[in-house]
Amino acid sequence: MKITLQSIEKLWLDIVGCHVILDVGGAVFYGFGQRGDIDINEWLKDKVEFIKTLEGKLKEVEGRQNGFDTLEIKLNATVDEVTRQKSEMDKLKKENEGLQTRLNATEEEVDKLKQNSAKGGPQIAFSASLANFGEIYKGPCTDKALIFKRVFSNTGNGYDPNTGIFTAPVNGVYFLSFSTYGYNTHVMGAILMKNGVSQISTYDDPSTDGSDSSSNAVVLQLDGGDKVYMELWDDGRVFDNMNGHTTFSGFLVFPA
């Protein structure tokens, strides 16, 4: 039962049985019997103040409980977010393990091809980077071909630094690789083309992480005269300077 001022007044009059007239908040109450030895109005006033104090403390406790409930909701949300991030990290770890396995397999294949290459055969190899001085941002542009100007090596003269095209001098199995670097304002990456047909690529969407780098490699069967070169993606852009971030390389593993 809810305690009210009226209920307290009635209880007291029933117990004391005094003949007194009370004027509380404009309401008049009557009782019969002997007059008590205490001031009823003062007693009731004290009790009303006490009840108000209790009600205030109850509201304070309820407010704290609401705060605890809100904190519990936030803690649960934090636990859910940590669980989600852990799941993403586990997924990325598995993907990285898969990439490492592929890389190891490719390296083993190249080592085997080198060991089986014919001695005294043609020696063909090249390596170049995009910028031969300063800094260069390539793309977006209509002509998407990448021309690697800074030539590190060009044994057999299969690579043309004026066009960016490697022309296979002889039939054979070739190892080709490239790396790309760029910033988050555009698509970053490039496509390795063989006679106008896409072979492999790197790709990264615009993001908030500032910059991105990636690389890829492939072993291709080329006929003499086949042309291999690099192209940008639509709306793509790569960057290079004298540190050689964006590169293109290849060599003949063995004639075939």
Side-chain angles (χ1 to χ4, degrees), residues 6-193:
Q6 288 79 4
S7 64
I8 294 173
E9 292 170 349
K10 185 177 183 304
L11 178 61
W12 177 254
L13 291 174
D14 289 342
I15 295 173
V16 175
C18 62
H19 181 69
V20 63
I21 299 175
L22 301 177
D23 184 357
V24 180
V28 178
F29 301 88
Y30 297 88
F32 300 92
Q34 297 296 322
R35 178 179 177 84
D37 293 333
I38 63 173
D39 188 326
I40 301 303
N41 289 332
E42 288 299 323
W43 186 86
L44 288 174
K45 183 179 179 181
D46 290 341
K47 300 309 174 186
V48 169
E49 292 298 324
F50 177 69
I51 291 173
K52 288 182 179 179
T53 301
L54 289 179
E55 290 177 342
K57 291 185 178 296
L58 179 59
K59 289 181 180 180
E60 182 180 348
V61 171
E62 290 175 346
R64 290 181 179 178
Q65 181 61 45
N66 291 336
F68 291 147
D69 292 341
T70 301
L71 180 60
E72 183 179 6
I73 292 173
K74 290 182 178 180
L75 288 175
N76 289 336
T78 301
V79 170
D80 291 342
E81 178 63 17
V82 170
T83 302
R84 184 190 65 79
Q85 291 184 3
K86 183 179 182 302
S87 177
E88 290 292 330
M89 291 179 63
D90 291 341
K91 180 180 177 182
L92 290 174
K93 182 179 179 180
K94 290 181 179 179
E95 291 178 354
N96 288 336
E97 290 174 351
L99 290 174
Q100 185 63 49
T101 300
R102 289 173 56 191
L103 178 60
N104 292 340
T106 300
E107 291 177 346
E108 290 177 1
E109 183 178 358
V110 171
D111 289 340
K112 290 179 180 179
L113 291 173
K114 287 180 179 179
Q115 294 173 4
N116 295 330
S117 61
K119 294 182 179 181
Q123 297 180 350
I124 301 167
F126 74 97
S127 185
S129 64
L130 198 62
N132 56 356
F133 66 90
E135 297 182 345
I136 181 172
Y137 292 85
K138 176 66 175 179
C141 51
T142 303
D143 182 8
K144 297 183 291 183
L146 291 175
I147 301 176
F148 298 82
K149 294 288 189 178
R150 186 183 178 193
V151 177
F152 300 108
S153 62
N154 194 15
T155 303
N157 296 317
Y159 176 71
D160 186 346
N162 296 311
T163 62
I165 298 174
F166 171 73
T167 303
V170 297
N171 298 348
V173 174
Y174 291 79
F175 177 81
L176 299 157
S177 66
F178 64 94
S179 62
T180 51
Y181 181 88
Y183 293 95
N184 62 358
T185 55
H186 295 77
V187 170
M188 193 286 298
I191 310 166
L192 187 143
M193 309 290 292

